[in-house]
Amino acid sequence: MRKLILLCLLCFSSLLHAAPGVFPDSTFNNLDYGLYWFGYGDTWQKAVPGQSNAYYGASKPTVIYIHGWQNGTTVRKDRETFNREGAGGPALDLADAWLRAGYNVGVLYWNQFADEGEVTDAEAKIWSATGPRAMRWRNSSGVYASGPSQTVGDLLFKSYKDNMAGYSGSNIRILGHSLGNQVAIVLSKKISDAVTAGTLNSKLLPKRVALLDPFYSNNAKSWLGNQWTGAVSRTYVSELKGKGIIFEAYRSSPVTSTIFIGDANPGLMNMTAFSELKPWYFNATQITEKHNAAVWHYLWSYSFNPPLITGTSNQAASAKTSDSRITTLMNGTQKLVHDQGAYTKEPSDDNFKLQAR
């Protein structure tokens, strides 16, 4: 079992996430990162400070996705988008329902930094610019080049604040998958610190953060003051909850919580509205597909009414569940466990049961 999980971990990013040709070759030949806005059908426009964008409105509610580890994707010229069919998801545009509801839909990319053969080398770049591989990035020939002196957290924070400087809305939601959940937490902390310091518009503080099959590696890290990434993340989340940010988390695979590789981080999960998804439409060996399911299940769930807690009229957690209800679940003493709908991909038939955390 250990060998199987190790193999699957090495294959986190082995599934195709976007059709070839969605992005031009220059996106992979040269260093490219930061905020992109999306329209229907995986159309996109990179956010550039001070320039108008066809897919962005300053007063709209906003959802921004952050991907995780991207081993081998640059050579394949592959980036995650809202077409997840190649990752085991439905043959649908998963941005569609959000766009129809009036949302700005974006992705914060760091894929060339995340393209490492060892997951912890990519993880280090989120927190430190002087980790095992510093801030090197990979091009489409598979060659690494020296990168900037800022961390991924710093680079994406700058892209976020510069491109949303004039934001006047009141609803920003950040989604982070796998390693990307750490980026989402670090980014939210940097936003919060800047708001507190009076250097950033308070409207840029996210209202809600979704951690999708979140991954934290085991063991203390020299590049993080000999602390575990999961422990620092817990400290940040505790502080951010005090600033009014709502946290929800969804676990869909054993990869992120096996004792051999990942820190299950129960202390952090207990701080969130925590749901255990059971994607039993995949078999026991399809761990990578299960890991990716958290992303498309969450995005797709916005198309349907919130699931219920079995035998009640009370709502469980999903992308469509209201902020107030997610807050109640976050502050409760129980977790949600997939009870009905586990054998079908479409979230419309999901129900959950409550269990002790």
Side-chain angles (χ1 to χ4, degrees), residues 37-80:
W37 296 115
F38 279 74
Y40 295 102
D42 269 354
T43 53
W44 54 266
Q45 184 178 343
K46 185 173 183 177
V48 178
Q51 293 186 15
S52 63
N53 193 295
Y55 305 122
Y56 173 74
S59 63
K60 291 183 175 182
T62 299
V63 60
I64 297 174
Y65 171 69
I66 306 173
H67 62 78
W69 188 29
Q70 298 290 296
N71 181 26
T73 57
T74 312
V75 171
R76 297 201 307 268
K77 299 179 181 178
D78 174 28
R79 264 182 166 177
E80 293 190 34

Side-chain angles (χ1 to χ4, degrees), residues 70-119:
Q70 298 290 296
N71 181 26
T73 57
T74 312
V75 171
R76 297 201 307 268
K77 299 179 181 178
D78 174 28
R79 264 182 166 177
E80 293 190 34
T81 66
F82 296 95
N83 167 11
R84 312 293 294 196
E85 185 177 8
L92 297 170
D93 175 9
L94 294 170
D96 183 88
W98 299 82
L99 292 165
R100 291 184 187 279
Y103 273 77
N104 297 313
V105 177
V107 177
L108 274 168
Y109 286 109
W110 60 292
N111 50 292
Q112 288 169 290
F113 298 116
D115 190 348
E116 290 283 354
E118 170 54 55
V119 65

Side-chain angles (χ1 to χ4, degrees), residues 338-351:
H338 215 157
D339 185 35
Q340 297 175 14
Y343 289 97
T344 60
K345 290 185 178 182
E346 186 173 298
S348 62
D349 60 355
D350 287 350
N351 273 356

Side-chain angles (χ1 to χ4, degrees), residues 282-306:
F282 295 124
N283 65 44
T285 65
Q286 292 179 292
I287 298 177
T288 303
E289 287 86 348
K290 291 180 179 180
H291 179 55
N292 284 306
V295 178
W296 55 258
H297 186 277
Y298 185 85
L299 289 167
W300 198 8
S301 72
Y302 193 78
S303 299
F304 307 101
N305 291 329

